[in-house]
Amino acid sequence: MLIKIDLNKDEPIYKQLMDQIRYGIASGYLKPGEELPSVRQLASDLGINMHTVAKAYNLLKAENILIVNSRKGVKISTDVFKPIQNSIGNNSRSIIEDLVSKCILDGIPKDKFITECEKIYDKINNRRNDND
Amino acid sequence: MLIKIDLNKDEPIYKQLMDQIRYGIASGYLKPGEELPSVRQLASDLGINMHTVAKAYNLLKAENILIVNSRKGVKISTDVFKPIQNSIGNNSRSIIEDLVSKCILDGIPKDKFITECEKIYDKINNRRNDND
Amino acid sequence: MLIKIDLNKDEPIYKQLMDQIRYGIASGYLKPGEELPSVRQLASDLGINMHTVAKAYNLLKAENILIVNSRKGVKISTDVFKPIQNSIGNNSRSIIEDLVSKCILDGIPKDKFITECEKIYDKINNRRNDND
Amino acid sequence: MLIKIDLNKDEPIYKQLMDQIRYGIASGYLKPGEELPSVRQLASDLGINMHTVAKAYNLLKAENILIVNSRKGVKISTDVFKPIQNSIGNNSRSIIEDLVSKCILDGIPKDKFITECEKIYDKINNRRNDND
DNA sequence: GTGGTCTAGACCACT
DNA sequence: GTGGTCTAGACCACC
């Protein structure tokens, strides 16, 4: 999978990395059980610092998304997809609230907003199902 | 409107403040043209520094949401609500992508996710229409 | 002459007033020797504070543009137009430098910039000649 | 590039700084992509406070002139020069109107005024082209 | 009374 | 070592 880091963005590199790996898994570019490049390898590929990659890997390990083994390398957890949940977390809810507030001020009507959410969900989800 | 700041959160205070003010406007708790507390007043109410409030106010001014006037204080722009737009910005889209990726890993099915988005949009939007 | 004050602008009111009076004279709406409304009158017309008008008047007096007489009121100096000068002052030059820098960054080519300057000069100057 | 701050001027330091940086870019002393001194460095060089420099940098960032990066410092955006525009903004136009009014009262004839504008535009623009 | 500006100094996140 | 954030406290311009 192609990972793209924007060094000019305000968002810290390790977070960009985490987001892209999550996105890669959700969209099926990366599969449960699959190996990821070593810290050194990925750092060198992306032209960033080793510690930055390690930080992203370790935080994703704490989220039970990656399995980090100093000898065997890094791979994606086989149970990375959690069982079906009924409700989203408070954190996500609060992100949506901030987002919706902005959209309302920006003149985005409900149907446009919802359609966009659906489109993005489908884009990510379908791509994974296709890749299966 | 009640503004609540969580000093323990990672998110900087001034951003929490900006989000809450946007939320207040979108949900009708705060109305276009309405005056906001002075920087000193709000800072003292929240137990934070004047400059932190001023930073939030000024950034919202740059977004054309507030009108900041050295002589008369701060008020909400009368044209905070932009004309209807057809599509959300790239920034919002990328927030949704990250959010959806997380939700998919967390086992939130599409219908739950969309329902939640709709619920939040309605909650904010209806409250404003009720208040009109 | 219609004077318009924008209370929402960052520029102090007394400066807006000074600019508009200078503009009025340069464009012939106001004529040398003509009387201006009293401080109280103008303040009331514009819905602003008396002291603000007085400040503008006094600063224009210091520029030899107005003649302020506490008994007889305020009028425009009869020799408000200075004799022909060969070069603009350092202050104006520095304003032009800042303006030109911005325009160059903004992609305004020289001919557009100069044409605009000419158009504005003519607009103001011709209006006065017409009014004579 | 030599930056000079006049602490006695009315204009706030951070604005003087912004003007000088814009001037430096427009005149080619500073080039797109070039690094600027760190906030602390420049503040110390100029004998002013860090936050004052940071404010100028951040406002220029908002104008898409600088790229501010907590990790790597500050550099000039590679696309500072906007594509060719046909007309100047309202803000610039109103600056010119005030300036022209003053010049007319000061006895600056049109040709002198226009020649001065051309001279300044050329001075800045040619210097950049020479430096390329 | 309002916000604007500036200073000084601290701690933190990121790389 | 970089900028970001926050605090504290001062003085100023404007109205």
Side-chain angles (χ1 to χ4, degrees), chain C residues 3 37 46 66 77 90 102 107 125 128:
Chain C
I3 290 186
L46 298 174
L66 296 186
S77 165
N90 283 331
K102 263 189 222 167
N125 212 36
R128 187 177 73 260

Side-chain angles (χ1 to χ4, degrees), chain D residues 6-41:
Chain D
D6 184 346
L7 296 171
N8 295 324
K9 285 221 292 186
D10 277 2
E11 203 179 28
I13 299 177
Y14 77 94
K15 275 193 187 157
Q16 293 185 44
L17 207 39
M18 291 173 71
D19 283 334
Q20 299 223 17
I21 292 173
R22 276 199 221 89
Y23 181 91
I25 299 170
S27 61
Y29 284 131
L30 300 171
K31 294 198 187 312
E34 185 176 338
E35 283 202 14
L36 256 48
S38 77
V39 278
R40 284 174 175 78
Q41 182 64 49

Side-chain angles (χ1 to χ4, degrees), chain D residues 12-14 40 47-52 55 71:
Chain D
I13 299 177
Y14 77 94
R40 284 174 175 78
I48 61 176
N49 190 280
M50 200 192 82
H51 295 102
T52 308
K55 181 167 189 175
R71 345 184 222 293

Side-chain angles (χ1 to χ4, degrees), chain A residues 48-117:
Chain A
I48 62 178
N49 193 295
M50 228 181 65
H51 297 73
T52 308
V53 177
K55 181 168 190 175
Y57 278 0
N58 281 320
L59 285 169
L60 288 172
K61 175 188 177 190
E63 291 183 16
N64 296 315
I65 290 178
L66 296 186
I67 295 175
V68 180
N69 184 310
S70 44
R71 278 167 304 183
K72 296 207 230 156
V74 181
K75 65 179 193 207
I76 298 169
S77 164
T78 47
D79 55 352
V80 65
F81 291 102
K82 311 291 177 295
I84 291 182
Q85 298 286 321
N86 275 320
S87 69
I88 69 175
N90 283 332
N91 214 323
S92 297
R93 184 170 293 112
S94 134
I95 290 173
I96 301 178
E97 283 178 349
D98 293 340
L99 185 64
V100 166
S101 299
K102 263 188 223 167
C103 285
I104 289 178
L105 297 185
D106 282 346
I108 312 287
K110 183 181 167 189
D111 61 333
K112 298 283 178 204
F113 177 70
I114 296 301
T115 306
E116 190 69 33
C117 289

Side-chain angles (χ1 to χ4, degrees), chain C:
Chain C
M1 190 189 71
L2 184 63
I3 290 186
K4 282 183 10 187
I5 297 297
D6 184 346
L7 295 171
N8 287 334
K9 283 219 300 185
D10 280 347
E11 201 180 27
I13 298 174
Y14 79 95
K15 275 192 187 160
Q16 293 186 44
L17 204 42
M18 290 173 71
D19 282 335
Q20 298 231 12
I21 292 173
R22 276 198 221 91
Y23 181 90
I25 300 170
S27 62
Y29 284 128
L30 300 171
K31 293 197 189 314
E34 185 176 338
E35 278 208 16
L36 255 48
S38 74
V39 169
R40 279 184 164 71
Q41 181 64 49
L42 185 53
S44 140
D45 288 356
L46 298 174
I48 60 178
N49 194 295
M50 229 182 62
H51 297 72
T52 309
V53 178
K55 181 167 188 174
Y57 278 1
N58 281 321
L59 285 169
L60 288 171
K61 177 187 176 189
E63 291 183 16
N64 295 315
I65 289 177
L66 296 186
I67 296 175
V68 179
N69 185 310
S70 43
R71 279 167 303 181
K72 296 207 231 158
V74 181
K75 63 181 195 201
I76 297 168
S77 165
T78 47
D79 54 351
V80 65
F81 292 102
K82 311 290 176 297
I84 291 181
Q85 296 287 322
N86 275 319
S87 69
I88 70 176
N90 283 331
N91 215 322
S92 297
R93 183 169 293 112
S94 133
I95 290 173
I96 300 178
E97 283 178 348
D98 293 340
L99 184 64
V100 165
S101 300
K102 263 189 222 167
C103 285
I104 289 178
L105 297 185
D106 281 346
I108 312 286
K110 182 181 168 188
D111 61 333
K112 298 282 179 204
F113 177 71
I114 296 300
T115 306
E116 190 70 33
C117 289
E118 285 185 310
K119 224 166 63 186
I120 292 174
Y121 198 105
D122 286 340
K123 181 183 71 172
I124 299 177
N125 212 36
N126 294 344
R127 197 172 288 167
R128 187 177 73 260
N129 293 332
D130 291 352
N131 288 349
D132 281 347

